[in-house]
Amino acid sequence: MKAAVIVFPGSNCDRDIQVALRQSMGSEPQMVWHKDADFDSVDLICLPGGFSYGDYLRCGAMSAKSPVMKEVIARANKGVPVLGICNGFQILAESGLVPGALMRNAGLKFVCRDLHLKVERNDSIFTSGYATGQAIKIPVAHHDGNYFVDAEGLKAIEDKGQVAFRYCGADGTVTAENNPNGSLNNIAGVYNAKGNVLGMMPHPERLCEAALGGTDGKAMFESLVAALS
Amino acid sequence: MKARIHVTLKNGVLDPQGKAIEHTLGSLGFEGVSQARQGKFIELDLEETDKAKAHEAVTAMCEKLLANTVIENYSIDLEQ
């Protein structure tokens, strides 16, 4: 399996994903600068978290128009798997690769803590290592993670099973108290219609080692390796 | 030509920053204020001299970059 991590000016989780991929793949992912639209053919493209372009205008708005994203969009539309985490999710939403938008957190505060996510389905290349309905512990760290889509769009993604993860309690129950940012229906991650693109606010790459407080993120990278090797 | 663009959240999209502004205005003693909405103001100088063409170009800019039409509306004012 070959993977690429796109590095934007202001990305700061690119090396975390690099380490998580290296450990799961057993080989080195390619790090691709955002101006290099011409990169190797790969089985997986990752858009990392951070504050690309200083979050100017809207989070992810500038990165979504960078040279490399034209290529990422073209490859995603051909079926290449793309994983966008945190700022990567914002970039995917701004690119139109996943539905909806990420707005300022309802509480107006930056939220940085471990929380639980309910895995909505495990028949995807990203989540086969989890059980459907499983509650996994994954950290969030964002100011703009409040997922919004209009009523019609929300119905469409719910009906088509495009919700990947919801914020929940340790026992998997989805309640308003477990919603850290005001996201509609507690949505923490969404797939595109084809299911080859996943955008999520929480950071699985940050909990892949017991020494860091948990390993629930590791199964996502192992799922991808199993599906794409 | 000057283009002045207002980008605002669509009706029905919650605006927590607007709510916080409204609340603080109330706590400062300004009464009778409601529906505070925060938006963005963008000003551009355009070489284009034809107003219709300028409007068309700025509309494309709004659709492609300046506004996220999932959550935002925009309005364009042009001044010769």
Side-chain angles (χ1 to χ4, degrees):
Chain A
M1 171 183 166
K2 286 172 75 179
V5 179
I6 311 295
V7 185
F8 298 95
S11 293
N12 65 8
C13 301
D14 42 323
R15 289 188 58 211
D16 301 67
I17 298 188
Q18 182 184 25
V19 171
L21 286 170
R22 180 192 297 147
Q23 289 180 345
S24 291
M25 297 194 305
S27 62
E28 203 58 35
Q30 188 187 357
M31 306 303 281
V32 178
W33 182 237
H34 73 120
K35 288 193 171 165
D36 299 336
D38 181 24
F39 60 99
D40 291 353
S41 172
V42 291
D43 308 301
L44 172 71
I45 299 170
C46 292
L47 305 183
F51 299 86
S52 59
Y53 292 89
D55 284 346
Y56 294 165
L57 190 63
R58 296 176 306 276
C59 301
M62 302 297 177
S63 304
K65 312 299 173 193
S66 69
V68 78
M69 279 309 294
K70 270 190 196 162
E71 180 66 18
V72 172
I73 291 167
R75 293 194 194 186
N77 287 335
K78 283 185 199 155
V80 173
V82 179
L83 170 62
I85 297 171
C86 199
N87 190 218
F89 183 12
Q90 295 163 339
I91 296 167
L92 288 176
E94 282 283 343
S95 309
L97 279 177
V98 294
L102 284 312
M103 301 182 49
R104 179 54 48 99
N105 291 346
L108 298 176
K109 290 201 169 79
F110 192 95
V111 180
C112 182
R113 61 183 163 88
D114 292 351
L115 42 66
H116 288 88
L117 303 180
K118 183 183 169 206
V119 180
E120 286 292 306
R121 52 192 296 178
N122 75 345
D123 59 348
S124 109
I125 54 169
F126 301 93
T127 57
S128 63
Y130 301 110
T132 296
Q134 185 182 346
I136 57 174
K137 190 175 82 168
I138 303 281
V140 291
H142 61 248
H143 209 161
D144 298 80
N146 180 352
Y147 183 79
F148 180 87
V149 64
D150 63 20
E152 199 181 322
L154 185 63
K155 186 178 183 308
I157 60 171
E158 290 285 2
D159 289 352
K160 291 176 189 160
Q162 284 177 247
V163 176
F165 302 103
R166 292 182 213 274
Y167 301 108
C168 69
D171 61 353
T173 52
V174 177
T175 64
E177 290 73 45
N178 300 125
N179 189 336
N181 54 25
S183 290
L184 288 177
N185 293 7
N186 283 41
I187 291 171
V190 291
Y191 297 110
N192 66 342
K194 276 199 250 170
N196 64 308
V197 180
L198 168 62
M200 61 189 295
M201 288 312 297
H203 288 274
E205 80 283 12
R206 290 193 189 176
L207 277 189
C208 288
E209 286 190 60
L212 298 177
T215 56
D216 281 359
K218 201 172 173 63
M220 177 171 294
F221 296 98
E222 287 175 347
S223 302
L224 287 164
V225 171
L228 304 174
S229 292
Chain B
M1 189 177 313
K2 273 251 186 273
R4 297 191 174 89
I5 302 137
H6 283 92
V7 179
T8 50
L9 286 172
K10 286 181 175 174
N11 286 336
V13 177
L14 281 178
D15 179 6
Q17 294 177 102
K19 281 258 180 272
I21 291 165
E22 191 178 311
H23 179 79
T24 302
L25 286 173
S27 70
L28 287 171
F30 294 102
E31 290 172 12
V33 178
S34 64
Q35 299 299 317
R37 307 282 280 170
Q38 180 177 314
K40 295 189 185 89
F41 173 68
I42 299 161
E43 197 172 65
L44 307 169
D45 272 336
L46 304 173
E47 285 177 6
E48 181 60 63
T49 52
D50 181 279
K51 211 164 179 175
K53 281 183 187 163
H55 196 275
E56 193 181 331
V58 176
T59 300
M61 293 176 204
C62 288
E63 291 285 335
K64 283 192 175 165
L65 179 68
L66 302 179
N68 178 341
T69 55
V70 175
I71 48 173
E72 294 170 329
N73 289 320
Y74 57 87
S75 65
I76 300 166
D77 290 308
L78 297 171
E79 192 183 297
Q80 215 87 40

